[in-house]
């Protein structure tokens, strides 16, 4: 049975009935035993009493005392006992009315049971050798059983009446007791699929409050995830519109321009715009993928090999820079997810290449501390203005020194990928010369040496952009 | 027609410069709010095409500041934010028109012409004065019903003079309408353009006020 109410009802009714039944059995057994001992005592007493009255040739109680009319009334206590007085030589001296002719008891004193005319008799026999008489007093066992039966009937009758009443009462109490649960069910089933508002916990009983609390927690998480998703989609849509607008404008220029120089320039711009849009879409997909990674497979990876892999995979247009690799990188091993670190390295390298003002040098190096490992890339581009350095890892942020091909997503992808690999992205402008140093740091940051992590800025990226987007 | 574009996307601003130029406009392009403010303070423009999401702030702030200064320059918001609420917010902040990205170049040119036209107090698409009819949409000029062909610069000079026919425009006013910041202006260019224009539409149509500038000759004289 799947209904909590039904199950509770069945259990309660069954348990109540069972307890009542067990009690009845107990009472039955107890009552039977008690009846037995009381009636046995009565037999004994009656036999002794008769024996004391009887004389050797005496006459017992008047034979005419009872008559056949009263005989069937076994219910009457007066008629329940039968008595026989026997002389010791085996002659029936006297008997009570209704007593059978055959000897009730054995020929010896004490209790005995006998089957007479299809009925079992319980008999007590007492002897008095001096008087020469033996007195047997007996009653029928059927009578005793009947007594016990009467007692049980008296107990069971109210029970049979009470069980439906009890059932009704239990049902009503359950309905009342489970009302908050029903109210909760109703509220939840009435909701729209996207209604993630909190469930009011004020009137919820303590027993299901943990359930409601975790439900609310789940609602909150789903709502946050949905909002994040929605914001990202909205941002992506906005960010794709500008390059598409540029693309369309250039295409229209190419269509209407009479001058071949103008037309060619427009067509060249179209190619660049397509490249940029392609890159933007690729970055968006990478971002969406990173967002959905929850548990990345860890492996021991060689940073130097990864960097070489990234450089080898670069398109020819991105190879104009000279790249220097610190030989120590080839022996730098890190336990992390290979794909994530690869994404981070690729984006950092591409960034360095794109921001190169003229063919320059990109240098990958490594610095090992006691409990930290920093892999860093130096470029000789324009760097990042100080007031923007804490913003650049925000999604879609494009600073003053942006590259025409940028999507505004590169550094936030790096940040996301590194956080998923247990590392941090630290950006700082180079002290020695113009350019940017981007560091991938594993382990605890050493104070004063590195700037604070950018990761905290990440989550609030949409909020930071809020005023620009929607000055609500 | 001299237009200021505030747009941070280089691809798009290049497209606007060339594209709106094909429709006879002279464009100046800046990429940030700060540069936009500086440009507006330095020069007068016939229209402003403004993006909203700029690297150093929202175009709406620029627009609000512009309007609170009492500047009546027509403004068209050109932005990726084109939800109804965004449009309403933009128009209520003082914009004259709103166009969502991506857009049609011809439509943008038409809308810019429309806001410029309304600003000069004209409702008809053509400007007609003293027998000269100028159609900015088709870049055509007719004198007494007869079409004549003008160069881009000559057309721009005529359009500037026809915009408010009674008004006198100095040589530097005309230079500003004709040339963006990037373009080199030679000292006698305006005179050369006016001279050629006169030879095409008739010497008497344009009046020279010595030492002051040029204007369309009033009908009465």
């Amino acid at each position: 049975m799947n209904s909590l109410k039904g199950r509770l009802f069945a259990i309660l009714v069954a348990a109540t009935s069972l307890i009542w039944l067990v009690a009845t059995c107990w009472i039955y057994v107890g009552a039977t035993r008690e009846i037995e001992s009381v009636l046995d005592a009565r037999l004994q007493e009656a036999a002794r009493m008769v024996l004391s009255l009887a004389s050797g040739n005496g006459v017992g109680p008047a034979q005419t005392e009872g008559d056949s009319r009263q005989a069937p009334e076994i219910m009457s206590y007066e008629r329940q006992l039968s008595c026989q007085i026997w002389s010791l030589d085996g002659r029936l001296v006297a008997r009570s009315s209704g007593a059978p002719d055959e000897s009730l008891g054995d020929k010896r004193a004490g209790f005995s049971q006998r089957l007479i005319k299809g009925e079992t008799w319980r008999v007590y026999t007492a002897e008095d050798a001096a008087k020469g008489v033996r007195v047997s007093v007996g009653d029928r066992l059927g009578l005793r059983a009947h007594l016990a039966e009467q007692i049980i009937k008296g107990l069971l009758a109210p029970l049979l009446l009470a069980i439906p009443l009890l059932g009704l009462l239990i049902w009503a109490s359950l309905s009342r007791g489970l009302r908050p649960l029903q109210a909760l069910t109703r509220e939840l089933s009435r909701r729209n699929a996207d209604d993630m508002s909190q469930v009011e916990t004020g009137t919820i009983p303590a027993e299901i409050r943990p359930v409601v609390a975790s439900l609310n927690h789940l609602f909150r998480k789903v709502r946050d995830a949905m909002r994040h998703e929605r914001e990202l989609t909205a941002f992506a849509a906005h960010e794709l519109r500008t390059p598409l607008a540029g693309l369309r404008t250039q295409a229209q220029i190419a269509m209407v321009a009479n001058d071949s120089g103008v037309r060619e320039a427009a067509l060249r711009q179209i190619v660049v715009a397509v490249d940029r849009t392609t890159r933007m879409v690729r970055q968006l997909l990478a971002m969406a993928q990173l967002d959905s990674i929850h548990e990345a497979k860890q492996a021991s990876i060689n940073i130097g090999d990864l960097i070489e892999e990234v450089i080898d995979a670069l398109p020819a247009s991105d190879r104009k820079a000279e790249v220097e690799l610190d030989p120590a990188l080839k022996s730098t091993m890190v336990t992390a997810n290979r794909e994530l670190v690869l994404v981070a390295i690729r984006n950092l390298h591409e960034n360095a290449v794109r921001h190169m003002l003229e063919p320059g040098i990109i240098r990958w190096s490594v610095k090992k501390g006691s409990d930290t490992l920093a892999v860093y890339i130096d470029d000789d581009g324009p760097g990042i203005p100080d007031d923007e350095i804490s913003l650049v890892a925000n999604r879609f942020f494009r600073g003053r020194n942006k590259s025409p091909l940028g999507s505004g997503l590169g550094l936030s992808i790096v940040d996301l990928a590194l956080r998923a690999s247990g590392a941090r992205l630290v950006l700082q402008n180079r002290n020695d010369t113009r350019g940017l140093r981007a560091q991938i740091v594993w382990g605890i940051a050493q104070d004063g040496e590195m700037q604070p992590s950018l990761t905290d800025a990440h989550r609030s990226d949409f909020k930071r952009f809020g005023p620009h987007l929607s000055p609500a | 027609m001299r237009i200021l574009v505030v747009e941070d996307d280089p691809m798009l601003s290049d497209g606007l410069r060339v594209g709106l130029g094909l429709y006879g406009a002279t464009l100046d392009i800046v990429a940030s709010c700060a540069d936009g403010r500086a440009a507006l303070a330095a020069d007068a423009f016939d229209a402003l095409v403004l993006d909203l999401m700029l690297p150093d702030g929202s175009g709406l702030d620029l627009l609000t500041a512009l309007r609170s200064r009492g500047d009546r320059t027509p403004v068209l918001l050109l932005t990726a934010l084109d939800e109804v609420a965004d449009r309403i917010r933009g128009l209520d902040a003082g914009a004259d028109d709103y166009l969502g990205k991506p857009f049609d170049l011809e439509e943008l040119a038409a809308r810019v012409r429309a806001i410029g036209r309304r600003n000069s107090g004209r409702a008809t698409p053509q400007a007609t004065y003293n027998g000269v009819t100028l159609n900015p949409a088709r870049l055509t000029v007719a004198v007494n019903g007869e079409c004549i062909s003008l160069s881009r610069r000559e057309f721009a000079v005529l359009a500037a003079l026809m915009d408010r026919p009674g008004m006198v425009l100095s040589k530097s006013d005309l230079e500003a309408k004709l040339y963006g910041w990037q373009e080199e202006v030679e000292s006698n260019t305006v005179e050369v353009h006016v001279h050629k224009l006169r030879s095409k539409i008739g010497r008497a149509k344009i009046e020279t006020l010595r030492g002051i500038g040029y204007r369309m000759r009033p009908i009465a004289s």
Side-chain angles (χ1 to χ4, degrees):
Chain A
M1 197 184 298
N2 260 332
S3 150
L4 193 59
K5 194 174 170 186
R7 199 182 308 178
L8 274 174
F9 178 72
I11 289 172
L12 282 173
V13 169
T16 318
S17 309
L18 192 71
I19 287 171
W20 218 318
L21 214 64
V22 168
T24 309
C25 289
W26 194 347
I27 290 169
Y28 176 75
V29 171
T32 313
R33 197 176 298 146
E34 198 59 28
I35 287 169
E36 210 126 285
S37 73
V38 167
L39 291 187
D40 279 357
R42 189 178 67 165
L43 283 183
Q44 221 166 3
E45 203 176 326
R48 287 206 186 107
M49 204 185 290
V50 172
L51 191 62
S52 69
L53 293 174
S55 57
N57 54 353
V59 196
Q63 283 188 7
T64 54
E65 190 185 326
D67 55 54
S68 53
R69 281 194 317 263
Q70 285 175 318
E73 286 184 58
I74 50 167
M75 296 301 295
S76 150
Y77 269 77
E78 282 88 332
R79 282 286 163 253
Q80 278 173 1
L81 295 184
S82 292
C83 179
Q84 289 175 332
I85 303 173
W86 295 83
S87 64
L88 283 179
D89 52 7
R91 191 169 44 86
L92 179 63
V93 178
R95 67 182 171 102
S96 67
S97 70
D101 297 334
E102 319 161 37
S103 165
L104 279 170
D106 293 337
K107 296 259 175 347
R108 54 181 180 78
F111 284 105
S112 61
Q113 280 189 24
R114 248 190 126 110
L115 192 68
I116 300 163
K117 286 182 190 152
E119 285 180 303
T120 312
W121 288 75
R122 173 95 172 151
V123 180
Y124 184 77
T125 306
E127 277 181 350
D128 190 337
K131 288 184 181 166
V133 289
R134 181 188 295 132
V135 174
S136 291
V137 180
D139 58 8
R140 277 162 290 213
L141 278 188
L143 187 89
R144 298 184 169 201
H146 182 75
L147 267 175
E149 205 176 290
Q150 287 300 105
I151 292 171
I152 295 308
K153 267 187 190 159
L155 279 171
L156 281 178
L159 175 62
L160 288 178
L161 191 71
I163 280 188
L165 274 175
L166 197 69
L168 227 65
L169 210 65
I170 289 175
W171 187 257
S173 321
L174 282 178
S175 302
R176 198 179 168 77
L178 292 177
R179 202 173 288 163
L181 207 56
Q182 281 169 335
L184 181 65
T185 316
R186 256 201 313 277
E187 195 198 317
L188 289 179
S189 60
R190 232 191 354 245
R191 278 176 177 234
N192 293 327
D194 55 350
D195 182 2
M196 292 293 156
S197 61
Q198 303 284 293
V199 177
E200 206 57 56
T201 49
T203 56
I204 301 285
E207 286 83 357
I208 52 169
R209 208 167 286 157
V211 178
V212 175
S214 22
L215 206 60
N216 278 340
H217 183 65
L218 185 69
F219 277 152
R220 215 166 23 244
K221 267 169 73 177
V222 173
R223 197 181 51 207
D224 286 352
M226 273 167 64
R227 197 183 52 218
H228 190 253
E229 210 64 13
R230 229 174 263 159
E231 279 171 346
L232 182 64
T233 319
F235 254 82
H238 290 142
E239 289 301 310
L240 277 171
R241 279 168 177 228
T242 300
L244 286 177
L247 200 52
R248 193 190 159 117
T249 308
Q250 298 287 358
Q252 280 194 298
I253 292 169
M255 277 159 64
V256 298
N258 294 320
D259 185 89
S260 67
V262 171
R263 192 162 54 234
E264 255 170 51
L267 289 173
R268 258 198 308 279
Q269 292 279 29
I270 289 175
V271 175
V272 179
V274 168
D275 282 352
R276 198 182 128 197
T277 316
T278 310
R279 186 176 146 80
M280 170 82 98
V281 170
R282 210 179 62 213
Q283 297 282 60
L284 276 172
L285 289 177
M287 189 110 222
Q289 254 164 8
L290 283 176
D291 267 344
S292 62
I293 287 182
H294 294 301
E295 248 171 68
K297 213 172 67 199
Q298 307 268 312
S300 187
I301 46 177
N302 185 314
I303 298 289
D305 288 350
L306 278 191
I307 296 172
E308 282 183 349
E309 190 182 327
V310 165
I311 295 168
D312 290 343
L314 282 183
S317 58
D318 283 346
R319 286 196 196 182
K320 56 190 183 210
E322 187 186 326
V323 182
E324 281 182 12
L325 268 185
D326 187 344
L329 279 165
K330 294 291 278 179
S331 58
T332 304
M333 303 295 288
V334 163
T335 304
N337 180 272
R338 192 175 180 283
E339 292 309 311
L340 289 174
V341 178
L342 192 70
V343 163
I345 289 176
R346 184 170 54 231
N347 274 283
L348 286 179
H349 193 89
E350 282 178 358
N351 260 349
V353 172
R354 296 233 155 83
H355 287 93
M356 200 73 59
L357 294 180
E358 57 261 3
I361 300 175
I362 292 172
R363 192 175 291 112
W364 278 99
S365 327
V366 63
K367 190 163 58 186
K368 285 176 190 158
S370 54
D371 50 0
T372 60
L373 173 68
V375 174
Y376 55 95
I377 175 170
D378 291 330
D379 64 42
D380 50 9
I384 300 176
D386 286 336
D387 56 328
E388 285 179 359
I389 211 156
S390 63
L391 299 173
V392 284
N394 291 340
R395 292 179 190 196
F396 300 113
F397 182 87
R398 301 186 68 212
R400 295 199 280 280
N401 296 338
K402 64 195 171 198
S403 95
L405 275 177
S407 62
L409 284 173
L411 285 176
S412 46
I413 287 176
V414 174
D415 188 41
L416 206 58
L418 288 183
R419 279 189 306 135
S421 333
R424 294 176 304 120
L425 171 66
V426 179
L427 298 171
Q428 58 192 132
N429 287 311
R430 288 168 68 175
N431 298 327
D432 48 348
T433 171
R434 196 186 55 185
L436 183 76
R437 167 171 292 186
Q439 301 191 75
I440 304 174
V441 184
W442 277 273
I444 309 137
Q446 286 155 6
D447 282 342
E449 192 177 353
M450 295 154 191
Q451 296 199 347
S453 162
L454 289 167
T455 53
D456 296 336
H458 177 84
R459 277 295 148 204
S460 57
D461 47 3
F462 293 123
K463 287 192 196 81
R464 277 175 194 278
F465 270 89
H468 297 226
L469 237 186
S470 48
Chain B
M1 194 171 192
R2 182 136 181 229
I3 302 170
L4 176 68
V5 173
V6 187
E7 165 64 59
D8 65 324
D9 184 79
M11 188 73 51
L12 183 56
S13 41
D14 175 79
L16 290 175
R17 188 179 51 75
V18 179
L20 289 179
L22 290 176
Y23 292 95
T26 303
L27 272 90
D28 285 307
I29 295 178
V30 294
S32 68
C33 284
D35 292 348
R37 270 189 283 273
L40 284 164
D43 267 314
F45 294 91
D46 296 311
L48 170 63
V49 174
L50 184 61
D51 185 14
L52 284 188
M53 287 162 77
L54 292 163
D56 60 343
S58 167
L60 276 185
D61 299 338
L62 179 63
L63 176 59
T64 313
L66 188 75
R67 290 295 181 239
S68 65
R69 266 209 315 272
D71 193 324
R72 293 164 55 90
T73 308
V75 174
L76 183 142
L77 292 179
L78 184 64
T79 165
L81 298 172
D82 73 337
E83 299 286 315
V84 173
D86 299 319
R87 291 166 185 252
I88 291 173
R89 198 178 300 133
L91 292 171
D92 281 347
D96 298 84
D97 205 352
Y98 202 107
L99 196 55
K101 293 175 186 172
F103 52 87
D104 187 278
L105 186 59
E106 281 183 52
E107 185 187 355
L108 176 68
R111 282 177 186 267
V112 170
R113 277 197 299 274
I115 58 173
R117 182 167 75 219
R118 282 199 289 270
N119 191 47
S120 54
R122 193 154 49 79
T124 52
Q126 302 100 340
T128 305
Y129 189 76
N130 198 10
V132 180
T133 305
L134 179 135
N135 188 332
R138 301 213 181 118
L139 300 177
T140 57
V141 172
V143 179
N144 302 323
E146 214 173 298
C147 274
I148 56 161
S149 134
L150 296 180
S151 78
R152 198 167 91 79
R153 300 287 192 211
E154 289 155 14
F155 184 88
V157 169
L158 184 60
L161 290 171
M162 295 269 291
D163 198 21
R164 288 199 182 83
M167 239 170 75
V168 181
L169 292 178
S170 70
K171 201 181 121 188
S172 61
D173 286 341
L174 284 173
E175 269 173 5
K177 298 269 183 197
L178 253 60
Y179 298 97
W181 302 316
Q182 279 92 12
E183 295 165 287
E184 278 297 316
V185 189
E186 288 180 21
S187 57
N188 63 344
T189 347
V190 170
E191 282 100 327
V192 171
H193 290 314
V194 171
H195 175 77
K196 284 184 181 165
L197 190 58
R198 274 183 172 147
S199 69
K200 287 180 181 173
I201 66 169
R203 184 143 293 279
K205 300 284 184 195
I206 298 171
E207 193 178 26
T208 307
L209 294 115
R210 208 157 290 281
I212 306 176
Y214 306 93
R215 71 170 175 189
M216 297 301 289
R217 188 181 299 279
I219 302 166
S221 55

